[in-house]
Amino acid sequence: MDAIDKNLLRAVQQNVKLSIQELSEKSGVSTASVQRRLKALRDAEVIQQEVAVLDPKKVGLGVTAIVAVELERDRLDHIDAFKRKARHDQQVTHFYCIAGDADFLMIVMAKDIEDYEAFTHRFFFADKNVRKFRTSIVVSTEKATLEIPI
């Protein structure tokens, strides 16, 4: 990956709707080169997905919770089952396996506190493998981005 690829990636992270012509002007290479480079970045899965970023409140999601989870056992089959469950649950927007005080850290979105409580009953209390979970409710979002530093 060279400097031109990095410039293209920075540009599309900020605005994926930029035209090939606009990307060509920003990067200083031909439109054909931009198209080839973007195809190569997609094929190599450097660009994994191109999505719309939504405002949670405007789509009815008023609660964001950051949840640290500890599992009861360190059995691989239980860990894998928990990972599968988290990956497939729509309310779980970010899911990390971490080192430290907890086994996992997740970001959970809910309509309201009652909806989050229902999530905890369904996701944590109903799972015998969850030893404990600690929730922090987000009071205000000062920065939330999918952009990564390049």
Side-chain angles (χ1 to χ4, degrees):
M1 183 177 325
D2 63 13
I4 294 169
D5 288 337
K6 289 179 180 179
N7 284 336
L8 287 171
L9 290 171
R10 278 193 279 283
V12 296
Q13 277 192 118
Q14 292 172 357
N15 184 359
V16 75
K17 291 177 18 177
L18 289 173
S19 70
I20 297 297
Q21 181 63 42
E22 290 169 313
L23 289 168
S24 170
E25 291 166 8
K26 283 181 177 281
S27 63
V29 296
S30 71
T31 56
S33 179
V34 168
Q35 288 175 318
R36 273 192 309 275
R37 286 170 178 271
L38 287 175
K39 180 178 181 342
L41 291 166
R42 289 179 181 116
D43 289 347
E45 295 183 352
V46 173
I47 298 174
Q48 294 180 335
Q49 210 173 15
E50 296 171 48
V51 300
V53 178
L54 307 179
D55 182 331
K57 287 188 172 97
K58 290 182 181 175
V59 295
L61 297 170
V63 172
T64 301
I66 302 168
V67 187
V69 182
E70 290 180 44
L71 297 185
E72 194 64 52
R73 299 168 201 82
D74 287 335
R75 286 185 37 196
L76 193 56
D77 58 333
H78 290 205
I79 293 169
D80 288 344
F82 187 82
K83 286 179 179 180
R84 266 191 311 281
K85 182 170 71 165
R87 281 190 214 110
H88 291 99
D89 195 290
Q90 258 193 325
Q91 285 186 268
V92 178
T93 61
H94 294 75
F95 180 60
Y96 305 98
C97 182
I98 62 171
D101 293 341
D103 298 314
F104 300 100
L105 189 67
M106 54 180 36
I107 309 296
V108 178
M109 309 276 309
K111 289 182 260 181
D112 51 32
I113 204 68
E114 291 81 14
D115 187 38
Y116 177 69
E117 183 180 20
F119 171 84
T120 64
H121 286 269
R122 173 177 57 80
F123 202 88
F124 301 123
F125 292 121
D127 188 335
K128 294 176 188 156
N129 198 38
V130 174
R131 178 182 306 151
K132 65 180 176 178
F133 66 96
R134 291 176 302 283
T135 301
S136 296
I137 299 294
V138 173
V139 175
S140 70
T141 301
E142 302 301 322
K143 181 179 181 179
T145 183
L146 296 175
E147 275 185 56
I148 59 170
I150 300 175

